Amino acid sequence: MKRLLIILLGIVIFPLISIGQKFDVNNYKPIKSYGELPIDFRKKSEQKYLEDKAEISTDEKRFTRKSKEKFLLRSNFMLDDMLLSGEVLFNDPLTNYVNKVVDELLKGEENEALRDEIRVYVTKSPYVNAFSTDQGIIVINIGLIAQLENEAQLAYVISHELIHYIKKHSINLFVETEKISKGKDGYKSLSNSNLFLERNLRSREIEMEADELGLTMFYSKSNYCLEELDGVFDVLQYSYLPFDEIVFDTNFFNTKYFKLSKEYFLDEVAAIKGGDDYDESKSTHPSIEKRRVKIELLKDEMDNSGRKKFILPKKDFENARLQARFEVIRQLLISRNYPEVIYNSYVLLKKYPNNKFLKTAIASSLYGITKYKLYGGFSKVCKSYKKIEGESQQVFHLFRKIDKKELNIIALEYCWSLHQEYPNNKYLYAISDSLFKEVVYKNKLISKNFYKKSKNDIKVELKNSDEKTDSINLSKYERIKRKKKKNEIQDDNAYQFAFVGLMHDKEFKKRFIYWDEEYLKVKKEIDVDDMNYHAKKEYYRKKRKKERRIQELGYALGIDTMVLVDPIYYRIDERKKTQVRYIDSERKQAELNQIITENAKLTGVNMSLVDSKNLNSDDTDVFNDIASLNDWISECVNHEDLELVMSESQYMQPLIEKYNTKYFDWCALINVRQGKKQWQKIVMHSILIYTIPIAIYYLVKPEHYTQYFNVLFNVESGKLELYIAEEVVQNDDKAFLNSRIYDTFFQIKTKRKK
Amino acid sequence: MKKTVLVIIIVIFSASLFAQVSGYMGKRLSIEYNNMFLSALRNPTNGNYNHTDRAFNRILKFNTRNNISLDYVISRRRSIGIGADFFKTRFTLYKSFDLTYIDMFGQEKETSTSISTIPVCNISSTCFNLHYTFFNKEALAPLGRYGQIEFGLIRYVSTYDKDKVIEKLEKHYNEITEISIEDNNISLTTYMGFTLGRKRVYFNRLIVNSGIQICVIPEVFSLRNIFSNNNIINIGNINESNYLENIGKERIFNHMLINLKVGVGLLAI
């Protein structure tokens, strides 16, 4: 019976897992991890550090030993911070694919032990990079996978990283750098600038070594094609460019009724230089050309016969790369690189013209750029087009030159049209509505400012009526109106025709009228810039009063259920060179979790703590939740004070349903021990004789300050419900923590008395 | 005045009504024992005190005061409370007494004399106060740095052992029949105080309080220049009939003027 049950479960579960992992291009979902949580994600950083430390030979010089300990401490904790942030993936289709390539590369008995040591993960970083750690972890960015052309190129990158690991390059470079900066072992006579150059030289030597040995030790022994090595350096050289170089259609945003001016586009885009002006001496990596030549020489001595670009099925690579490209677009959206998102999506739309994700990404970007253009900070989301090379420069130029009003209008037109296509998508409706608000509130354009008929129709209408009506029989006022209408049509007011197609949509019209009315209702309150002196003064007085009231009385949100996401705890000693006290921080974090749980219970808040530092092997779901939430908060933090509907909010619904709340809280505590700063007090108390004991107390007592941050968001609307940022000149004792945490939960739970 | 008091009370209680008060982990009421002390810079507590003592000796002699207080947190950074102080002290008689005695010839005579070195006057005092504590911006009541204003009423009993004085004087004068001094006095006065301090909490219940307190009795300012070292008698409004009341007031003023505060307490509910 039991066996039957297992077989049945097997039949049901395994297909489900494989379905979960399959990449559906038409229904793209953010990439996530699957299966059992690897030990790298579960083991405490302190434990990892102690284990690694025990392996350092006691025969080594004291300085080298101490430097290595320092490196291991930092690297273990920093690596764990990255692993647990949710940025790194495991058992997902991309990681699985990369691991298969590693298997292929390390085939054979001689590499068996090495294969067991190596763990390969993919990280959601959109930048072209890969790295390996001293602990045997190789991390490949999705940005790199998105730019590669074939499996062989990926295999070479992995070969390169394998050498970094087996040669212990990271730790050796760190020790060497320590020696250089401390002036040990013959570095004594070097000036600061020479020290810097020396350090970079060492790093470049290491990179060259990894290139050479990667080829000779692993890549050449596999069946991967040697001709593809040159392609790897092409990928590196042009890594700053989008996925592809295709001409951007200047009519892309044009509609039947509204066309963007040709002035917004360049006649010719800047040529691609590919980093010709690369100054090697200031870099940790050798120039691409140098590396290319070196590998070319080595390659010539090897036999290329029977080698392949793809050992695994080509389709697997293409699927992995496509998924990486989609994810890169999502990550670029999070980091507000809107023109890049638009161009990359445009490139992919050529192949998938009806892809919902890509079209939504363009809508999100248009919305984001509009917001930044209207509220300031545009340069944060759109680099100067002069710095851009290749076809994507058109997009950067367009958004730099386009008028705010026109941008708002094309964004609304695009988003609303997409909303019509996907009426059940709440996110598209939300951004369209937000753009409506901006059209009316910020650009002061109400529905009457837009025509319901096209320019041509109106012209024809006027012509016909002129012919039909005897102008002598017209009244003075009718004549004025007709003249006015004729002038308007001839003026440069093309944007007023942008919504001709949409004005027949009842919902669109209804929403426009709604915002018209709202605007008229609150006109006086919202236009702070237009207010007179006294009104402005009164407005700010009321605002300050409200802020003071919150400070004095606290928030009273009346929230019963919430989720606290991955609390952060850092202990810092400003007096030391290695300022972060990693081990102490990890221990304190565990204590904080306990305090949080106790106080939530005490206040009656139904709180779920999702903590990446206490995960079990079957907590992959929680890990994925943390990853999604961290993506959401990253986007939120990137936007600083700007209020807008975040693109990540479209992925929050499953979490809201799972935890039965839309309120998610992030908290952080940073305790800093600083050098003596209260000398004034010490001197004063010493002079006053009676207070000498107080002076002694201040002299002996360590000086601390503690920063406490807490933000609670409604992840559905993106509204910041609670914001606490305090700096207290006090140590982070238990009473302090209890007091702050209890108070926070209290503010969340209680309702204001009337 | 009444109106001002009323306004203050309304403001304090309205803050309490509308505030969302977390206290310390939900505990808002605390009971504390505090001790206020400082070396006796002006006048003694110690029975062996001699007003001719040099400054160094005075440092070693302490004024102390015991206090019990009950505090209730009314908003995130405010609390109100009531307190009671108890202390005993003494003072030296500087006064010249008019006395009538029988001389060696059996004649009744009148004279004036001083017994300034005999510290036989005791003061026993009880104070009741209302206090209002405001915690600084960084703190959350009842934990952290605070300032405290208190207004109180002092009831003190000055007792004077008349027989002992007569006994001493009779070493110089044969038989004293009359002495111009009252032997006890019960008086009331008001005071106001200000404390700067810090409260810490241990084990989620134990409060440790420390600070520095300044108290003044406004009435004393009308009596004399308090910073003068002149003999109190024959100055200002002090006369034979209110001698004990006023000299006691001045002693209490000195006792309470500036003190260090150390205390422990419990967070109740």
Side-chain angles (χ1 to χ4, degrees):
Chain A
M1 183 64 191
K2 224 177 193 179
R3 192 177 283 177
L4 185 71
L5 197 69
I6 290 166
I7 293 165
L8 275 173
L9 280 173
I11 292 167
V12 174
I13 290 169
F14 286 113
L16 280 180
I17 291 172
S18 58
I19 288 165
Q21 292 198 20
K22 203 183 167 193
F23 174 50
D24 178 6
V25 74
N26 292 319
N27 188 23
Y28 182 74
K29 292 266 167 17
I31 195 164
K32 60 178 185 176
S33 304
Y34 295 91
E36 194 180 284
L37 200 74
I39 189 76
D40 288 324
F41 293 72
R42 300 195 315 256
K43 207 190 260 184
K44 289 264 178 287
S45 312
E46 186 185 352
Q47 197 186 339
K48 288 181 189 172
Y49 162 66
L50 293 173
E51 283 171 13
D52 289 348
K53 191 182 155 190
E55 284 175 20
I56 301 173
S57 164
T58 45
D59 300 337
E60 292 197 70
K61 279 184 184 173
R62 192 176 177 276
F63 181 82
T64 311
R65 219 172 53 238
K66 288 283 163 198
S67 298
K68 282 188 175 177
E69 283 176 14
K70 202 167 153 185
F71 172 82
L72 291 172
L73 182 70
R74 276 190 208 177
S75 63
N76 271 304
F77 278 86
M78 285 165 79
L79 180 67
D80 280 359
D81 272 352
M82 195 185 82
L83 289 178
L84 300 175
S85 67
E87 207 179 312
V88 179
L89 301 157
F90 55 86
N91 297 329
D92 62 292
L94 290 184
T95 310
N96 290 346
Y97 176 74
V98 175
N99 270 292
K100 279 183 199 165
V101 177
V102 179
D103 291 340
E104 205 57 51
L105 204 60
L106 298 180
K107 240 181 203 171
E109 273 177 35
E110 71 276 16
N111 290 325
E112 220 168 71
L114 180 63
R115 182 66 192 99
D116 290 343
E117 283 173 40
I118 293 290
R119 286 92 71 204
V120 185
Y121 302 111
V122 167
T123 170
K124 292 188 281 184
S125 168
Y127 305 104
V128 177
N129 199 13
F131 66 91
S132 68
T133 73
D134 230 50
Q135 291 80 7
I137 292 175
I138 293 178
V139 179
I140 310 283
N141 287 1
I142 50 162
L144 175 70
I145 300 171
Q147 295 273 8
L148 291 172
E149 288 179 301
N150 51 53
E151 187 188 320
Q153 290 176 350
L154 178 61
Y156 180 67
V157 173
I158 294 166
S159 308
H160 173 100
E161 296 306 328
L162 282 169
I163 298 300
H164 280 319
Y165 167 66
I166 58 173
K167 292 281 175 186
K168 302 282 173 205
H169 278 161
S170 314
I171 196 162
N172 291 339
L173 182 64
F174 182 83
V175 173
E176 201 70 12
T177 308
E178 283 289 287
K179 281 180 187 169
I180 293 168
S181 61
K182 298 255 165 70
K184 299 255 177 189
D185 284 4
Y187 292 112
K188 278 171 191 167
S189 57
L190 293 178
S191 66
N192 275 346
S193 56
N194 284 341
L195 282 174
F196 171 73
L197 294 174
E198 189 68 34
R199 196 164 46 197
N200 284 349
L201 179 68
R202 288 277 171 280
S203 172
R204 288 199 298 275
E205 282 170 5
I206 283 169
E207 290 303 326
M208 283 304 257
E209 189 183 17
D211 277 353
E212 286 172 44
L213 294 180
L215 174 60
T216 53
M217 282 177 72
F218 300 110
Y219 192 84
S220 65
K221 289 176 185 168
S222 71
N223 269 336
Y224 286 112
C225 179
L226 291 170
E227 293 308 315
E228 284 311 310
L229 291 172
D230 199 46
V232 178
F233 295 108
D234 287 337
V235 170
L236 295 180
Q237 188 166 8
Y238 301 110
S239 61
Y240 62 95
L241 294 172
F243 306 145
D244 208 342
E245 271 295 300
I246 55 169
V247 177
F248 184 78
D249 180 5
T250 52
N251 295 319
F252 184 71
F253 291 115
N254 288 352
T255 62
K256 192 180 166 189
Y257 304 102
F258 179 56
K259 290 178 176 40
L260 287 173
S261 162
K262 292 283 171 203
E263 287 169 20
Y264 295 150
F265 297 97
L266 292 159
D267 294 333
E268 206 174 325
V269 294
I272 296 166
K273 291 175 187 166
D276 291 345
D277 50 353
Y278 184 76
D279 179 7
E280 190 186 76
S281 65
K282 287 173 188 164
S283 172
T284 54
H285 281 61
S287 76
I288 304 280
E289 277 318 302
K290 217 176 193 176
R291 294 170 78 176
R292 204 193 287 267
V293 169
K294 186 87 185 169
I295 294 300
E296 199 69 28
L297 288 171
L298 286 170
K299 194 180 79 179
D300 289 345
E301 294 163 12
M302 295 170 186
D303 179 19
N304 195 34
S305 57
R307 291 176 177 270
K308 294 173 190 169
K309 277 188 198 176
F310 296 96
I311 295 175
L312 299 168
K314 190 180 175 187
K315 204 164 175 30
D316 287 1
F317 171 80
E318 283 170 350
N319 265 337
R321 187 176 65 175
L322 188 62
Q323 190 164 9
R325 285 182 172 182
F326 272 64
E327 189 59 31
V328 163
I329 288 175
R330 184 176 152 246
Q331 292 301 324
L332 288 173
L333 257 181
I334 291 171
S335 52
R336 308 178 301 176
N337 294 312
Y338 299 127
E340 284 95 328
V341 173
I342 290 176
Y343 187 78
N344 281 322
S345 302
Y346 173 79
V347 167
L348 293 179
L349 273 172
K350 291 279 167 197
K351 198 173 178 190
Y352 307 100
N354 294 316
N355 191 282
K356 183 183 165 190
F357 171 81
L358 298 172
K359 286 198 268 185
T360 309
I362 292 175
S364 301
S365 303
L366 283 173
Y367 170 64
I369 296 175
T370 307
K371 278 280 190 176
Y372 277 92
K373 196 121 185 172
L374 292 174
Y375 290 93
F378 176 72
S379 55
K380 290 178 194 168
V381 297
C382 184
K383 281 181 240 166
S384 165
Y385 70 93
K386 288 171 189 166
K387 291 177 186 169
I388 307 298
E389 296 170 12
E391 292 299 332
S392 66
Q393 195 185 24
Q394 285 290 21
V395 181
F396 286 86
H397 186 265
L398 164 68
F399 291 117
R400 180 65 64 174
K401 297 289 174 188
I402 195 170
D403 173 60
K404 286 177 189 178
K405 210 179 268 181
E406 286 187 3
L407 176 62
N408 197 164
I409 287 163
I410 62 158
L412 176 56
E413 207 280 334
Y414 189 92
C415 293
W416 192 270
S417 301
L418 211 56
H419 159 65
Q420 284 177 323
E421 205 175 325
Y422 306 106
N424 295 328
N425 188 319
K426 282 183 185 173
Y427 170 71
L428 285 172
Y429 180 76
I431 59 171
S432 305
D433 208 39
S434 175
L435 286 165
F436 250 132
K437 193 179 171 186
E438 301 307 342
V439 167
V440 179
Y441 281 44
K442 206 74 185 172
N443 288 310
K444 298 183 177 56
L445 292 169
I446 54 170
S447 53
K448 282 183 184 169
N449 294 111
F450 293 92
Y451 289 104
K452 289 172 194 164
K453 288 174 186 168
S454 70
K455 213 172 197 173
N456 286 339
D457 287 352
I458 293 174
K459 273 181 185 173
V460 170
E461 228 172 60
L462 282 170
K463 203 181 166 188
N464 289 343
S465 63
D466 274 351
E467 284 168 3
K468 278 181 193 172
T469 324
D470 182 0
S471 58
I472 299 164
N473 294 333
L474 287 176
S475 74
K476 170 185 161 188
Y477 306 104
E478 280 171 332
R479 220 171 277 137
I480 293 169
K481 276 179 193 171
R482 190 169 285 191
K483 210 168 189 181
K484 214 175 165 187
K485 211 165 188 178
K486 275 184 184 173
N487 287 339
E488 273 176 9
I489 301 282
Q490 278 147 18
D491 285 347
D492 186 21
N493 59 351
Y495 68 84
Q496 288 182 294
F497 294 91
F499 299 142
V500 171
L502 296 174
M503 279 296 192
H504 302 290
D505 176 0
K506 275 183 189 170
E507 199 190 354
F508 182 86
K509 212 172 161 187
K510 202 174 146 190
R511 212 59 206 152
F512 215 152
I513 291 165
Y514 166 81
W515 282 115
D516 284 355
E517 286 168 358
E518 281 297 301
Y519 176 64
L520 291 173
K521 258 190 245 170
V522 289
K523 197 177 175 185
K524 282 180 191 170
E525 282 176 37
I526 50 159
D527 291 334
V528 183
D529 298 336
D530 299 342
M531 285 176 183
N532 65 30
Y533 173 75
H534 292 290
K536 209 179 242 183
K537 203 175 158 187
E538 183 61 18
Y539 172 81
Y540 284 113
R541 193 188 66 79
K542 274 185 184 170
K543 204 179 162 191
R544 278 198 301 274
K545 198 180 164 187
K546 200 178 165 188
E547 283 166 3
R548 271 206 305 273
R549 192 177 153 82
I550 286 176
Q551 203 177 28
E552 179 63 26
L553 304 180
Y555 295 87
L557 303 173
I559 294 167
D560 293 325
T561 311
M562 58 167 282
V563 177
L564 207 146
V565 188
D566 223 5
I568 297 168
Y569 208 117
Y570 274 112
R571 286 198 126 190
I572 291 167
D573 192 339
E574 274 184 355
R575 304 164 309 159
K576 303 267 171 69
K577 209 175 171 189
T578 309
Q579 294 194 335
V580 181
R581 291 155 68 190
Y582 292 103
I583 297 176
D584 231 14
S585 302
E586 192 175 73
R587 287 178 189 167
K588 262 297 200 188
Q589 209 264 333
E591 193 188 316
L592 178 67
N593 283 2
Q594 206 183 331
I595 288 172
I596 285 170
T597 314
E598 279 170 18
N599 284 291
K601 217 174 183 183
L602 218 58
T603 46
V605 176
N606 182 12
M607 189 262 319
S608 310
L609 180 66
V610 286
D611 177 26
S612 62
K613 280 120 197 152
N614 282 310
L615 296 175
N616 298 317
S617 57
D618 54 352
D619 281 340
T620 305
D621 276 355
V622 181
F623 178 84
N624 284 328
D625 295 347
I626 293 169
S628 300
L629 289 162
N630 282 347
D631 282 339
W632 188 92
I633 196 76
S634 299
E635 190 186 356
C636 182
V637 170
N638 286 337
H639 289 307
E640 295 166 19
D641 291 336
L642 186 66
E643 275 182 34
L644 80 177
V645 183
M646 277 173 288
S647 65
E648 282 298 296
S649 63
Q650 48 189 324
Y651 309 116
M652 287 295 115
Q653 206 50 42
L655 289 178
I656 293 171
E657 281 161 21
K658 181 179 174 183
Y659 293 101
N660 195 26
T661 181
K662 50 190 174 187
Y663 300 105
F664 288 75
D665 184 286
W666 282 262
C667 98
L669 264 143
I670 301 164
N671 175 260
V672 183
R673 182 172 177 178
Q674 51 184 1
K676 279 270 166 277
K677 286 194 176 160
Q678 298 187 334
W679 288 110
Q680 273 179 327
K681 276 187 187 175
I682 294 165
V683 171
M684 192 186 82
H685 288 298
S686 306
I687 292 168
L688 293 171
I689 303 168
Y690 292 106
T691 51
I692 283 175
I694 300 174
I696 294 169
Y697 168 76
Y698 279 122
L699 199 66
V700 176
K701 195 188 111 188
E703 285 180 28
H704 292 270
Y705 66 88
T706 307
Q707 294 171 329
Y708 173 62
F709 303 97
N710 201 305
V711 283
L712 179 84
F713 281 98
N714 176 339
V715 294
E716 196 176 51
S717 65
K719 191 185 169 198
L720 177 63
E721 301 282 351
L722 174 132
Y723 173 76
I724 300 171
E726 294 171 334
E727 187 176 297
V728 184
V729 185
Q730 190 179 331
N731 199 4
D732 55 345
D733 54 32
K734 210 174 171 184
F736 172 81
L737 297 179
N738 268 324
S739 154
R740 299 284 148 168
I741 304 291
Y742 181 90
D743 182 63
T744 306
F745 282 128
F746 188 82
Q747 291 185 60
I748 292 168
K749 172 79 181 170
T750 50
K751 279 182 190 164
R752 182 89 63 219
K753 292 171 191 170
K754 285 179 184 169
Chain B
M1 182 64 186
K2 272 183 185 174
K3 274 184 185 173
T4 317
V5 172
L6 202 68
V7 167
I8 291 169
I9 290 169
I10 288 168
V11 166
I12 290 171
F13 282 95
S14 64
S16 166
L17 279 174
F18 295 109
Q20 308 297 311
V21 191
S22 57
Y24 179 83
M25 293 176 83
K27 300 180 189 93
R28 294 167 69 179
L29 184 72
S30 62
I31 183 160
E32 281 176 37
Y33 163 78
N34 295 297
N35 188 276
M36 275 72 90
F37 65 94
L38 198 70
S39 59
L41 301 175
R42 294 172 65 86
N43 281 332
T45 296
N46 191 303
N48 298 320
Y49 175 79
N50 185 331
H51 75 285
T52 58
D53 273 354
R54 290 185 177 187
F56 178 72
N57 291 334
R58 292 184 201 181
I59 288 169
L60 302 174
K61 293 163 184 174
F62 280 83
N63 288 327
T64 76
R65 199 161 102 235
N66 300 306
N67 159 276
I68 286 174
S69 73
L70 206 63
D71 282 75
Y72 189 69
V73 178
I74 56 163
S75 83
R76 285 164 59 77
R77 292 190 174 87
R78 290 171 201 176
S79 74
I80 51 167
I82 52 168
D85 291 22
F86 311 94
F87 65 91
K88 285 184 176 178
T89 187
R90 295 173 176 185
F91 63 84
T92 315
L93 288 169
Y94 287 120
K95 188 177 173 352
S96 299
F97 297 103
D98 290 333
L99 55 87
T100 309
Y101 68 98
I102 311 293
D103 71 0
M104 54 201 281
F105 306 107
Q107 297 287 311
E108 198 174 69
K109 280 195 171 177
E110 285 182 3
T111 188
S112 182
T113 188
S114 166
I115 48 164
S116 61
T117 56
I118 307 171
V120 284
C121 191
N122 295 313
I123 294 176
S124 173
S125 172
T126 308
C127 319
F128 296 98
N129 67 59
L130 282 174
H131 52 260
Y132 175 67
T133 313
F134 47 95
F135 290 79
N136 84 347
K137 256 185 176 180
E138 296 176 350
L140 278 173
L143 181 72
R145 291 193 174 88
Y146 68 87
Q148 190 181 70
I149 300 167
E150 62 183 82
F151 297 96
L153 196 66
I154 307 171
R155 179 186 180 275
Y156 62 97
V157 182
S158 314
T159 52
Y160 177 74
D161 194 342
K162 199 170 180 178
D163 293 340
K164 239 180 188 177
V165 175
I166 292 171
E167 193 184 311
K168 170 120 185 174
L169 288 172
E170 278 181 345
K171 287 177 185 169
H172 307 283
Y173 308 102
N174 279 346
E175 190 186 341
I176 295 169
T177 55
E178 204 182 327
I179 188 162
S180 63
I181 187 167
E182 51 186 336
D183 55 3
N184 76 71
N185 174 274
I186 299 172
S187 305
L188 279 176
T189 188
T190 55
Y191 79 97
M192 54 179 109
F194 181 70
T195 309
L196 278 176
R198 185 172 175 176
K199 286 187 187 186
R200 295 170 175 84
V201 174
Y202 297 99
F203 316 114
N204 294 340
R205 204 163 275 276
L206 179 73
I207 293 178
V208 173
N209 190 0
S210 60
I212 186 163
Q213 188 188 54
I214 293 169
C215 290
V216 287
I217 298 169
E219 270 188 82
V220 172
F221 293 101
S222 63
L223 294 177
R224 49 170 262 167
N225 176 5
I226 56 154
F227 298 108
S228 152
N229 274 325
N230 289 340
N231 193 333
I232 194 166
I233 198 69
N234 304 326
I235 296 172
N237 303 322
I238 300 175
N239 53 44
E240 293 289 333
S241 63
N242 63 12
Y243 175 75
L244 270 186
E245 181 191 338
N246 289 328
I247 197 88
K249 208 171 279 171
E250 201 224 9
R251 173 66 201 119
I252 292 169
F253 177 89
N254 289 329
H255 190 103
M256 293 172 73
L257 184 63
I258 182 160
N259 282 293
L260 297 175
K261 184 177 182 177
V262 175
V264 288
L266 284 173
L267 277 164
I269 45 171

